[in-house]
Each structure stands twice: as structure tokens, then as C-alpha cells.
């Protein structure tokens, strides 16, 4: 998606440790007009697919997912992160290891809001090692819902997540795929799509 | 806001400890069409005010804030919660005590995204004791930005937050104010506005 790639080039910052800082427009301060265009692009990429629910994960997936959901006219559910297994109530839960924070945590979704009959599109801001997306896919499977696909804003194509998710047969659409980043020069190379 | 009050009556559940469970449409599963109407109502309530930024707090404020922001055509910043003071970078930070979780945590916003020239509308899903809103107001003040007002979906009118915030001269608009809730009967009484 050209608009997103241009914005990453203009406002994204390459940091050490393969971190792409896009917090001025994507995941701390959020450009809602950009999210709207991203939502339209997700709708185009999944045109013809029957989707009746969007599932994302707190916190930086939520804004994108909600604005995108307006294009699909469906509810949004967000998986909650917790570091304690002390979870009350009927939930689906699985463990995720965070690339950004190097931490293991549990994610949960209430059984009330995910189940048979749901045709789910996963949405998140970043795809790096794919652990968060795999966790969301696991919740969908546990619940008996159908996984239609996954929409990602920025995929780091040089990390394993994209390949792993696609290898599982999941319809993955990333609006921008970063092929390489150079911390010294600040250069960002995108994969042609 | 009648649409919201009707939805609370229909789908809200009164739980022990003065907890109003609205997770089927507000803060776990999110009804985006409802959020759109809430956004339009916030716009009406703050018509004539100059607002160029919305500030919210993760996680359940984000969806409402982003969908509402489309009515204002402004960016959204969300304050992040952390339990460690081990914060890298230039941030504004303050402490908040959570009603829901009975926990104290720090909230942070990058100094890059809040400052002089910003005319800020705070948005959050619930107002109970007002600690989260007071924390957000503190970040705005530290940053030199101007606090225009606060928009809340559901205020628990029998808790101290609403009065405390209004007593500070902050323009607070709550779309529904719960005057009382009865855990045994499930009855919810709203304050006339």
C-alpha cells in the first residue's frame, strides 16, 4: 500500500535490534485518516470473503482494527494480555512470546465472544516472529470459529512470522512488507507486492 | 444518549462490587456502529470547541477514541500503562490507581506527542473514581497542552470521579450516567441529563 510505505519512509525510524519505530502515526500516536485508508485496503484485499468478526490484540492492534471494522460492518474483539494465569471466567487462553518485550504472557478471550459461526479476520499492527498472530489463530481454533485470514499493517519480511503464517495456509495480507532496514543509514527497503 | 442507555439496559450486567459488565459491546467485544454514534454525540457535545488531539488510555479507551476521532478529524494518542518505572525515553508520567483492578500503575506518554499547541479532548470508556481521567489530565498539564474537556461513555454517578472532575472546572460529558445499580434485581437507574 503506497500511502503506508510512503509514510513509513517519511516518519518511520530504524532502531537497533531490528526495531522499526512508527509511533508517531501507527502505535502510540495514531493517524486515523491513514487507518481509514488502511481499512479500505484490507477490505479490497479480502473482497469476496465472508467475514463477520474481527479479532485483534491489545493494545496497538485495537485502533487499526476498529477503524478497519467500519469497512466490514462487523464487531471487533480484542484479546487481553495478562501475565498471571489467575483468570476468572470462561475464556480461551494461550501463551505468546513477545518479540518487542522479550516476555512471555497469556492472552485471553471470553468464550462468549468467539465461537462456531464466527468467520474471523485477524488484524494487528506488526508481524515480526508471528507469535501474537499464531496466538490469535490458536484462540480462533480453540473456539471452533473459522479463520478467514489475517490483515497486518507492517510485516518485517526478514523475520520468520510471515513465512510461518503463510505456510499454515492462512490468507495473510500485509499492507507493507519491510525486506530490510539499515540502522546506520536509516534506509528501508520494501518487498514488491 | 438514549441509544447507549438502551444498550446498557439490554446487554449490561450488574455485578457485585459496583461493577457494570458491558463487555459484549463496549470493552472486550466492541460494537463499532455504536461507537460511531457515540463519536457523533461527543462531537455534538463539544461543538464549537477547538480540539486538535484526542488522548485516551489503553486498552478499552482506544476503540472508542479512534472511531470518535473520525468525527473530529484529529490524531489519537493513547497513554500506556506500565508497572515498572523503568521507562526509557522522554515521557510524561504519573501514577494511577485502578478501580477495576485495585492496582497502582504508571501511565506514560511520549513527550513527542503531547505539548504546547495541543488542544486535547480526553476520551475513555468508564468513569468511576476518576483516577485514570485525573492521570490523563495530569499528563496534559505536564506537557503544556490545553485540556479542552473529557468525553466518557459510562459514568458511575454514585462514585466520586464525576464530581471531582467537574469540580476542577473540566468540561466533562458522559454519554450515560448510572445513578444506581442493583446487583440482585439487575436494575440500572440513569441520571436525567
Amino acid at each position: 500500500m503506497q500511502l503506508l510505505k510512503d509514510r513509513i519512509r517519511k516518519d518511520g525510524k530504524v532502531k537497533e535490534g531490528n526495531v522499526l519505530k512508527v509511533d508517531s502515526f501507527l502505535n502510540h500516536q495514531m493517524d486515523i485518516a491513514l487507518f481509514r485508508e488502511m481499512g479500505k485496503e484490507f477490505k479490497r484485499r479480502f473482497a469476496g470473503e465472508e467475514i463477520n468478526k474481527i479479532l485483534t490484540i491489545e493494545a496497538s492492534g485495537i485502533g487499526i482494527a476498529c477503524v478497519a471494522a467500519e469497512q466490514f460492518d462487523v464487531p471487533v474483539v480484542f484479546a487481553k494480555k495478562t501475565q498471571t494465569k489467575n483468570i476468572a471466567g470462561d475464556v480461551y487462553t494461550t501463551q505468546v512470546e513477545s518479540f518487542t518485550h522479550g516476555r512471555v504472557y497469556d492472552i485471553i478471550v471470553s468464550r462468549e465472544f468467539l465461537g462456531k459461526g464466527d468467520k474471523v479476520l485477524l488484524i494487528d499492527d506488526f508481524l515480526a516472529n508471528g507469535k501474537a498472530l499464531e496466538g490469535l489463530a490458536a484462540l480462533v481454533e480453540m473456539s471452533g470459529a473459522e479463520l478467514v485470514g489475517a490483515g497486518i499493517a507492517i510485516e518485517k519480511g526478514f523475520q520468520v512470522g510471515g513465512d510461518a503464517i503463510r505456510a499454515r495456509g492462512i490468507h495473510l495480507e500485509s499492507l507493507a512488507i519491510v525486506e530490510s532496514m539499515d540502522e546506520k543509514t536509516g534506509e528501508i527497503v520494501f518487498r514488491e507486492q
Side-chain angles (χ1 to χ4, degrees), chain A:
Chain A
M1 181 187 168
Q2 198 58 46
L3 188 68
L4 179 59
K5 290 193 283 189
D6 290 347
R7 190 61 175 276
I8 293 167
R9 280 212 176 87
K10 176 172 163 289
D11 292 331
K13 293 181 169 69
V14 184
K15 298 299 207 187
E16 65 172 85
N18 277 332
V19 172
L20 179 60
K21 189 165 172 287
V22 287
D23 61 357
S24 68
F25 62 95
L26 201 80
N27 54 10
H28 187 20
Q29 176 162 262
M30 300 176 284
D31 182 336
I32 305 302
L34 174 64
F35 283 14
R36 192 170 195 76
E37 294 308 309
M38 287 164 56
K40 291 177 186 171
E41 182 63 20
F42 282 134
K43 181 66 179 156
R44 277 188 286 268
R45 303 271 191 112
F46 291 96
E49 300 269 18
E50 199 188 331
I51 289 163
N52 63 14
K53 187 162 286 184
I54 285 172
L55 175 65
T56 185
I57 183 169
E58 60 176 349
S60 45
I62 297 174
I64 299 169
C66 287
V67 176
E70 294 180 275
Q71 304 298 323
F72 293 84
D73 196 23
V74 301
V76 177
V77 177
F78 69 91
K80 300 182 181 188
K81 297 176 181 174
T82 168
Q83 278 180 301
T84 61
K85 266 196 156 346
N86 193 17
I87 299 153
D90 283 327
V91 297
Y92 298 110
T93 179
T94 190
Q95 226 175 40
V96 170
E97 189 183 337
S98 165
F99 168 73
T100 320
H101 304 294
R103 234 181 38 196
V104 172
Y105 54 90
D106 297 302
I107 63 171
I108 64 177
V109 167
S110 167
R111 289 177 184 239
E112 277 188 76
F113 309 133
L114 198 63
K116 198 154 174 269
D118 286 330
K119 298 172 191 298
V120 182
L121 172 64
L122 307 180
I123 285 184
D124 205 0
D125 59 338
F126 265 98
L127 172 54
N129 288 334
K131 297 304 179 189
L133 217 51
E134 283 176 6
L136 292 178
L139 296 181
V140 172
E141 185 176 6
M142 281 179 221
S143 77
E146 179 191 331
L147 181 56
V148 175
I152 291 292
I154 305 174
E155 176 183 334
K156 288 195 286 180
F158 53 88
Q159 287 183 261
V160 305
D163 291 345
I165 298 286
R166 289 182 184 95
R168 293 176 53 176
I170 295 172
H171 178 186
L172 170 62
E173 294 285 351
S174 302
L175 303 186
I177 303 180
V178 174
E179 203 61 275
S180 65
M181 316 190 300
D182 189 317
E183 184 198 325
K184 294 187 181 63
T185 64
E187 191 195 19
I188 297 166
V189 178
F190 292 104
R191 183 182 299 174
E192 291 297 313
Q193 288 190 75

